[in-house]
Amino acid sequence: MNGGASEPREVIIIGSGPAGLTAAIYTARANLHPLVIEGEPSSTSDQPGGQLMLTTEVENFPGFPDGVLGPELMAGFRAQAERFGAELLTAKATSVDFSEQPYRVWVGEACYRGRTVIVSTGAQSLLLGLHDEERLIGHGVSTCATCDGFFFRGQDIAVVGGGDSALEEATFLTRFAAKVYVVHRREELRASKIMQNRAFANERIEFLWNRQVTAIRGDDRLEGITLTDTQSGRRTELDVTGLFIAIGHRPNTDLFSAWLARKPNGYLVTEPGSTRTNVEGVFACGDVQDDIYRQAVTAAGSGCQAAIDAERWLEAHGH
Ligand code: NAP
């Protein structure tokens, strides 16, 4: 690796979802000339723009009374950051070294040095790995009930998973859907008792035990799914127009494992009420440190906090 490198930047931002680009807008407006290492377009885990690039209509981002397409919303974030002078590099950060100031971030052979680093690499929803699954995201397949539930009024839909997320989403979705099937691969749930009791008491929820979703079908939109019984191997078809995948999330933190403290579930630890990590001058915002809310608007809010925290840190350290 090249240890030499260019002049240190005040701020390097890794990741370009709502958190990273909000941090870029704020730090650019504060004249800190941020470099945003935005990710690689070919990837589904760290594509520039983050998870909103995989959605269609976003109706809950304030300021858009008629809704906005996820990619369009992110194009707006990007243009706004560039307007104030943020520099965007379309590439993936491959390694970091936070052992001494200025910190180093590599993109392949190229080394960038930053006095502060804002980590906003996000998280990815785990998917089932089925043919056409990614293609139908935003067209019947969803990984976020809060975001997309509204579009399934009066329809029959399925939720996959047996944890708290699956049951929380299933219960939430009964506000809209006529019927919600919970497809679980075992006959015992992982979810907490209180969530289980709430779901069992809900007349619109039906559990399909010992079943895996093994295929999905639909041209422009989801039309149905194939279930395979894990014990008998018998296959059945289920006509649903919505499939919510709630089998967990994975934060994109591998790059930082040697430097930043992580919770047992892999999310970065930040000091309560701030975006500070365990390394001075390194801040984390958005889904990479949020295993609770995971919303675009909360990610953007924490990106703003990280920018202000970085700005204050630079000022306190005479930069
Ligand atoms: P989780 O607890 O890891 O549960 C994932 C579920 O998906 C499990 O039931 C698992 O089945 C199933 N699953 C995993 N891979 C699968 C696959 N390839 N095919 C089919 N099913 C698969 O994840 P989570 O529900 O997202 O929860 C994550 C954490 O957040 C938990 O600690 C949870 O308590 C917490 N949480 C809390 C709340 C709340 O309190 N309001 C709400 C949401 C989440 P198995 O059971 O067979 O492994």
Side-chain angles (χ1 to χ4, degrees), residues 128 160-166 168 184-186 188 190 195 212 246-249 294:
L128 296 166
V160 196
D164 280 328
S165 294
E168 189 173 67
H184 184 37
R185 62 184 178 184
R186 297 186 294 142
E188 197 184 328
R190 184 180 292 278
M195 292 281 200
Q212 282 273 34
I247 60 171
H249 289 82
R294 301 188 187 116

Side-chain angles (χ1 to χ4, degrees), residues 40 42-47 50-51 54 92 121-124 252:
E40 249 168 18
S42 58
S43 152
T44 50
S45 60
D46 42 30
Q47 69 280 11
Q51 294 178 73
L54 303 176
K92 196 176 156 161
T121 44
Q124 42 186 305
N252 299 315

Side-chain angles (χ1 to χ4, degrees), residues 145-165:
T146 314
C147 318
D148 300 331
F150 189 78
F151 303 118
F152 293 89
R153 242 170 227 291
Q155 301 178 33
D156 288 356
I157 62 177
V159 175
V160 196
D164 280 328
S165 294

Side-chain angles (χ1 to χ4, degrees), residues 249-281:
H249 289 82
R250 187 175 176 277
N252 299 315
T253 55
D254 289 350
L255 190 60
F256 311 102
S257 59
W259 308 103
L260 301 182
R262 298 192 283 185
K263 300 186 204 171
N265 62 7
Y267 285 78
L268 296 184
V269 175
T270 48
E271 256 176 56
S274 100
T275 62
R276 283 191 292 270
T277 67
N278 57 304
V279 176
E280 275 266 321

